[in-house]
Amino acid sequence: MSTPTSTAGDPVFSAFCAAGLWPGLGKRTAAELPAAGITRPDDVSADRLLKLPRVGRQRAERLFSSFLASAPTYEVVQLLVGAGLEAKLAAGVADTLGPDAARRLRDDPWALLSLSGVSLGDADRLAIAVLKGADRQDARRGRAIVGLTLRTATRDGHTVLPADLVVAALRAEGIGDPAAAIVAAVESGEVLEHEPPEPELPDDLPDDAELPEPDPALRTLSLARFGMAEEAVAENVHRLMATAERIADPASVRSVAKGLDPAQQAAVAQVLGAGFSLLTGGPGTGKSRTVASLVQLLQAKGTEVALAAPTGRAAKRLEELTDHPAVTVHRLLGAQGMTGGFSRNEEWPLDADVVVVDEASMLDVELTAALLEACADGTHLLLVGDPAQLPSIGPGHVLGDLIDSGVVPVTELTTLHRQAAGGAIARLATGVRAGELPQVDSPDREVVIVPAVGSAEAARRVVQLVTDSIPRALGIDPATVQVVTPVHRGPAGTIELNKALKAQLNPGDGTVWGFDVGDRVVATANHLDLEPIGFANGEVGVVTGTGEGSLNVDFSSGPVTVTGNALPDLRHGWAITVHRAQGSEWPGVVVVLPPEAGGMLSRPLVYTALTRAQKHLSIVHASGAALARAVREVDVRPRRTRLARLIAELGS
DNA sequence: CAAGCCGG
């Protein structure tokens, strides 16, 4: 470490470079700038950059122009460093606040709060540095806290928040006039205010009786983008239902009815008539089979069908099951990348007569709004999914709300075709789905509960089950057993479990990117373009060979040669998270519920975890009473949304 | 405390 001298550089400049904000300049090269005589912005020139090691003429020129282009970010760093804040915060600033971010921050330092990872304290410090006499009661501060409170709620999936909760949050931050802050947030256009619903009038209300007032405690606020997305979904549901014409006579279902149970046939018939319909049911009830028959019928009639799913893996599976192309919803809509826009929309709708989206429980409200807007009048849309599984990552409770609205026709499949209907897994799943944790009585050991105290013991039990008990006592090959855990971290998280399982099942030191032949891997991103068929996020496979910087992996969907930028998107896959396991099933599954996962246990998580098992399920239970509580309560944190009511109201 | 998609 050199001590500062008179020739020491500009602290803003060094913070800018060290934070990795100069595009194309790595950490290592950044550290070498002073040696090349570059310590302040004025020093930056192509000639000086050329003095850096590993930098040739072309790269020097490119670095120079990328430095000039990053002037807006530089200006933001100047503000941040001047306020004693981390330069790193400037990273996403242009995306969020636009190219004139610095000016906007000088006008309203609390606009910094619209970036993720910024606390109110950070924004207050910037305000003190930027404004003369910054004031806690500043109207801009109150307005920003309203937005911050709603954005925080969004991370838990809510699209709206009771106004009372926002008022309480404002009070907690010392805002003297919360109502004024809310008005300011609404006037800025960022926030919408929703009046409480009109109370339902009792039938026997006398004419002269006083009408009941709406309950002001039910007044809610939303971020405009999500509030408007819910309104768009509600309107478009009604538009599609109103504009659809019957595609075919219901009797035509008979042509594909072979092998479909009556409920499944009814679902197919429903799609032919209704502009918008839902098909729900748990794993093994034949949702995808029903879709396959529907597609077969429509193709025979020459109807244009588009198939999609929210995840790459679900799309891939849908394509295999229906023998018809399927893509992610993002692909279907022509996602524009960072801008977040879609090329298929109201102006350029999808050219399909029937659109089917599988795994619809993963649809958040914004993607659903985009999907519905891209469906032209007369398009029939079918959403297929299981409302009992994990909710979407993005805010909203779309599938559940569509069902709860009571307006959209729903076919629920309940007959189990895949698993032994009377088996212990099925009984347990049915119980959990209904909010009960039944005593499992499974003399055939289809379900085995292994109690454990603490996550270290839980981890030992898992390894023992996979490597010893399950193969020995049940004759199940460890290669077909999947371990599923809620968490990455801790002794019973994916990271440690994979280490322990690798040591037992395929010891080795990882020759290519930490992997050896025989390792089980899981994909953490989509690479559907790799040869020959690529892989999708969440797919599990086995390494069958290693090359120079490449891996051959056998995924269940087929072999893939994994190279280049796809390699970092593989991890060891003996143990994976419940979230990543969603949409896949294995003959044998070991579910671990460590005590540290107690806070994140919920009915959908438990249900999703145990329904991954087809023939055998071991549950290593170390989370005590938290498990029964999670299953009993409908949802640990139910999502607050407005969609169900909006749809119902538009229909009346 | 975990997680989808997209493009450069």
Side-chain angles (χ1 to χ4, degrees):
Chain A
M1 221 20 141
S2 62
T3 49
T5 65
S6 55
T7 59
D10 179 343
V12 173
F13 181 75
S14 52
F16 172 83
C17 298
L21 296 166
W22 183 339
L25 186 81
K27 277 223 157 60
R28 187 167 152 207
T29 317
E32 290 158 343
L33 287 169
I38 304 173
T39 60
R40 58 192 69 239
D42 292 345
D43 296 339
V44 179
S45 67
D47 285 338
R48 287 235 174 106
L49 288 165
L50 199 48
K51 295 188 189 139
L52 289 166
R54 302 177 306 277
V55 172
R57 185 88 238 166
Q58 202 191 5
R59 179 154 182 234
E61 310 241 333
R62 227 183 291 142
L63 282 172
F64 181 57
S65 58
S66 75
F67 179 73
L68 294 182
S70 61
T73 312
Y74 193 92
E75 224 186 317
V76 173
V77 173
Q78 231 161 358
L79 289 176
L80 294 174
V81 170
L85 298 172
E86 295 228 41
K88 283 205 288 267
L89 290 176
V93 88
D95 297 339
T96 319
L97 294 173
D100 62 342
R103 187 189 56 73
R104 289 190 52 185
L105 288 175
R106 270 189 295 267
D107 289 348
D108 177 5
W110 289 285
L112 190 67
L113 284 170
S114 42
L115 308 189
S116 56
V118 175
S119 70
L120 181 58
D122 292 338
D124 284 342
R125 285 172 78 179
L126 183 65
I128 290 163
V130 166
L131 303 175
K132 287 191 182 66
D135 178 7
R136 272 163 76 81
Q137 301 302 330
D138 191 303
R140 291 166 292 189
R141 184 171 183 267
R143 185 180 71 190
I145 295 172
V146 174
L148 177 68
T149 306
L150 290 169
R151 269 192 301 280
T152 306
T154 292
R155 286 201 286 273
D156 289 330
H158 308 296
T159 57
V160 294
L161 220 49
D164 289 352
L165 280 184
V166 179
V167 168
L170 287 159
R171 289 243 161 77
E173 298 300 349
I175 300 297
D177 189 350
I182 291 172
V183 169
V186 171
E187 278 173 358
S188 77
E190 193 195 3
V191 169
L192 298 179
E193 196 171 10
H194 311 289
E195 289 311 313
E198 292 292 329
E200 284 184 34
L201 301 180
D203 294 337
D204 55 352
L205 194 73
D207 288 346
D208 57 344
E210 234 176 90
L211 290 177
E213 290 290 312
D215 181 356
L218 297 179
R219 196 167 63 103
T220 58
L221 301 172
S222 70
L223 288 173
R225 53 186 282 202
F226 301 121
M228 286 163 63
E230 286 198 315
E231 285 164 15
V233 171
E235 284 163 17
N236 282 291
V237 165
H238 283 281
R239 175 178 62 87
L240 290 175
M241 294 210 302
T243 56
E245 288 172 21
R246 178 165 291 288
I247 294 175
D249 190 87
S252 65
V253 175
R254 256 184 262 130
S255 65
V256 294
K258 216 177 109 203
L260 292 188
D261 70 30
Q264 294 170 337
Q265 292 176 35
V268 176
Q270 190 173 64
V271 176
L272 301 179
F276 196 114
S277 54
L278 304 174
L279 174 58
T280 67
T285 54
K287 298 190 296 294
S288 303
R289 265 225 81 221
T290 309
V291 172
S293 296
L294 171 69
V295 170
Q296 195 193 333
L297 169 65
L298 294 172
Q299 280 196 303
K301 301 192 69 66
T303 307
E304 195 69 37
V305 189
L307 301 181
T311 67
R313 185 159 36 113
K316 216 173 152 183
R317 204 195 40 213
L318 186 61
E319 179 165 309
E320 283 159 22
L321 255 66
T322 57
D323 206 19
H324 182 283
V327 292
T328 63
V329 177
H330 282 83
R331 274 277 157 84
L332 182 72
L333 300 179
Q336 306 275 292
M338 296 256 293
T339 64
F342 297 98
S343 61
R344 308 313 289 263
N345 48 34
E346 221 177 321
E347 277 85 57
W348 187 34
L350 301 168
D351 32 34
D353 307 307
V354 177
V355 176
V356 180
V357 177
D358 200 359
E359 296 287 4
S361 59
M362 300 186 194
L363 287 174
D364 65 45
V365 69
E366 279 191 306
L367 188 60
T368 309
L371 173 70
L372 299 206
E373 279 164 1
C375 290
D377 285 1
T379 307
H380 291 230
L381 179 62
L382 170 66
L383 301 186
V384 183
D386 183 358
Q389 295 203 32
L390 288 166
S392 62
I393 293 164
H397 182 237
V398 175
L399 183 59
D401 283 353
L402 287 164
I403 296 167
D404 293 347
S405 74
V407 169
V408 182
V410 186
T411 305
E412 186 183 4
L413 303 180
T414 52
T415 310
L416 277 179
H417 295 276
R418 213 178 312 162
Q419 282 136 342
I425 295 172
R427 288 202 307 275
L428 185 58
T430 306
V432 169
R433 202 179 165 92
E436 294 153 22
L437 196 60
Q439 284 291 324
V440 278
D441 172 31
S442 184
D444 56 355
R445 287 183 290 189
E446 182 176 308
V447 174
V448 173
I449 310 282
V450 181
V453 178
S455 48
E457 193 200 334
R460 283 197 301 276
R461 293 269 175 267
V462 169
V463 176
Q464 189 183 26
L465 280 162
V466 175
T467 62
D468 181 37
S469 324
I470 292 180
R472 194 164 42 83
L474 302 168
I476 298 176
D477 181 358
T480 67
V481 177
Q482 182 64 46
V483 177
V484 167
T485 167
V487 290
H488 285 305
R489 275 176 273 176
T494 58
I495 299 167
E496 290 303 318
L497 283 174
N498 275 316
K499 275 189 203 158
L501 288 163
K502 175 164 171 62
Q504 292 289 316
L505 295 168
N506 196 40
D509 31 46
T511 49
V512 179
W513 282 81
F515 299 112
D516 296 299
V517 170
D519 277 359
R520 192 186 298 184
V521 293
V522 61
T524 59
N526 290 341
H527 286 278
L528 299 165
D529 45 346
L530 283 173
E531 291 304 319
I533 52 161
F535 62 78
N537 192 352
E539 276 194 85
V540 172
V542 176
V543 177
T544 55
T546 60
E548 190 74 5
S550 78
L551 290 174
N552 298 322
V553 179
D554 256 358
F555 288 102
S556 49
S557 58
V560 179
T561 303
V562 185
T563 54
N565 67 348
L567 283 167
D569 293 326
L570 293 178
R571 294 188 203 170
H572 278 126
W574 287 285
I576 66 176
T577 59
V578 179
H579 281 85
R580 213 175 281 295
Q582 185 172 22
S584 297
E585 292 174 20
W586 294 268
V589 167
V590 177
V591 174
V592 205
L593 302 172
E596 62 265 30
M600 71 177 296
L601 290 186
S602 66
R603 189 191 301 176
L605 184 133
V606 174
Y607 180 77
T608 303
L610 60 92
T611 51
R612 300 310 93 208
Q614 291 167 332
K615 294 197 174 81
H616 170 77
L617 170 68
S618 283
I619 300 177
V620 178
H621 177 22
S623 53
L627 175 60
R629 181 183 44 77
V631 170
R632 204 179 329 112
E633 292 171 16
V634 172
D635 209 322
V636 177
R637 280 168 296 180
R639 295 183 166 197
R640 298 176 199 272
T641 62
R642 213 162 45 103
L643 182 59
R645 213 187 78 214
L646 282 174
I647 297 173
E649 281 173 1
L650 270 178
S652 59

